[in-house]
Amino acid sequence: MRIVIGSRPDWPASLEAAKTVGDKLRKAGHEPMELALDSRALTKEIERAEIAFVFGGDGTVLRAARALSPFDIPILGVNLGRLGFLTAATIDQFDAAIKARPATVTRVEGMAEIAGGLFWLGYGDQVQSPKSKVPGPSNYDFAFDNEKPAHQVFLQNFSIDRALVSNGDFLEFIRDHGYQDFRWWFSEGWEVVNREQWRAPLYWELHDDEWMIRDFAGLHSANSKANEPVSHVSFFEASAFAKWAGKRLPTEAEWEKAATFDLNDGARMQFPWGNEAPDISKTNLFENGLWAPAPIGAFPAGQNRYGCHQMIGDVWEWTTSDYVPFPGFKSEFDEYNDKWFVNQKVLRGGSFATPQIHIRSTYRNFFHAHERWMVSGFRCAKDL
């Protein structure tokens, strides 16, 4: 009997639990296979099991359970993060309903020109005017330490895309042999492309010479999703596309000014659309239940004063800025943000997986330049 015990290699409690179960099974005369792998690699291995034990967190356990359910493979999944138990017979209660994606309401094209000058970057009382206070329950009085303190930066005039780069846009880059042309890539990015044999974003698959995209709803042709923001791209891929297109990625200061500056009166706003709290009519966040980026132009009520759409939600947007502490930074979370200020890039804006109460225009996410497992996309910018 093929018994597989899966655990997370970076989680000591997971490894310990797997070892304990393995020892007990061996004493009972079985020869289980113990595997310490990431959730995706582990799923492939346990599909060949007859019985599986999985120890990990939400993602590891649910991914394994959903993968095994069609094969009627008995599974005991232990979510060590919340001390919950999951079996193949009970996974249906965890299946989230995926709502129908909204239609494109308006065509979004071109670039917005934004004047430079001094700009307050980051979260702080000095940039929160009375009219930017949002009534009712919210988390706008909270920010992570890496968003502080607000400080003035000087920006040159720049332009920024009104729309996120779409699957259709990125498909043109692929068809123009963008992944085979070293001219568009950083040296380190070019090394990664060749070492990992990248030919498209993560979760894109080539079937009979047609690019397909796999998401939570299944497998779709890239052409059918041409007007949706491209996602699961690394910083290297985003910057290569931008160079190919004759543009560049925005800095995080440029992104934040575009997202918060009211060109009509010079005031700073909480969000691109104004000071109202996020809702499902303005942006695609977790509460929308789409489990995927929405078509470009589906949320005209959420555009900024320059006509830039979907700056909040859908996909985290890569910037060209290094993830470093702001001047005057003081750590408020031991063993967290201050440990990661090296060799990473800043992303802004949240994604379809970000809850409404968790998003702010000053929120700084950060990942290594080669990473693309997260919901990451981008828009381009240019100097003026």
CSV table of all heavy atoms in Angstrom, one decimal, residues 2 240 306 346 352:
chain,number,residue,atom,x,y,z
A,2,ARG,N,0.6,2.2,-0.9
A,2,ARG,CA,1.4,3.4,-1.0
A,2,ARG,C,0.8,4.5,-0.1
A,2,ARG,O,-0.3,5.0,-0.4
A,2,ARG,CB,1.5,3.9,-2.5
A,2,ARG,CG,2.3,5.2,-2.6
A,2,ARG,CD,2.3,5.6,-4.1
A,2,ARG,NE,2.8,6.9,-4.3
A,2,ARG,CZ,4.1,7.3,-4.5
A,2,ARG,NH1,5.0,6.3,-4.4
A,2,ARG,NH2,4.4,8.5,-4.6
A,240,ALA,N,10.7,43.5,-18.4
A,240,ALA,CA,11.1,43.2,-19.8
A,240,ALA,C,10.0,43.6,-20.7
A,240,ALA,O,10.3,44.2,-21.8
A,240,ALA,CB,11.3,41.7,-19.9
A,306,TYR,N,-7.2,61.1,-13.0
A,306,TYR,CA,-6.5,61.1,-14.3
A,306,TYR,C,-7.1,60.1,-15.3
A,306,TYR,O,-6.6,59.9,-16.4
A,306,TYR,CB,-5.1,60.8,-14.1
A,306,TYR,CG,-4.3,61.8,-13.2
A,306,TYR,CD1,-4.2,61.5,-11.9
A,306,TYR,CD2,-3.7,62.9,-13.7
A,306,TYR,CE1,-3.6,62.4,-11.0
A,306,TYR,CE2,-3.1,63.8,-12.9
A,306,TYR,CZ,-3.0,63.6,-11.6
A,306,TYR,OH,-2.3,64.4,-10.8
A,346,VAL,N,9.0,46.6,-4.4
A,346,VAL,CA,7.7,47.0,-3.9
A,346,VAL,C,6.6,46.8,-4.9
A,346,VAL,O,6.7,47.1,-6.1
A,346,VAL,CB,7.8,48.5,-3.5
A,346,VAL,CG1,6.4,49.0,-3.0
A,346,VAL,CG2,8.8,48.7,-2.4
A,352,PHE,N,-7.4,40.8,-6.0
A,352,PHE,CA,-8.7,40.3,-5.8
A,352,PHE,C,-8.8,39.4,-4.5
A,352,PHE,O,-9.8,39.1,-4.0
A,352,PHE,CB,-9.2,39.4,-7.0
A,352,PHE,CG,-8.4,38.2,-7.2
A,352,PHE,CD1,-8.6,37.0,-6.5
A,352,PHE,CD2,-7.5,38.1,-8.3
A,352,PHE,CE1,-7.9,35.9,-6.7
A,352,PHE,CE2,-6.8,37.0,-8.5
A,352,PHE,CZ,-7.0,35.8,-7.8
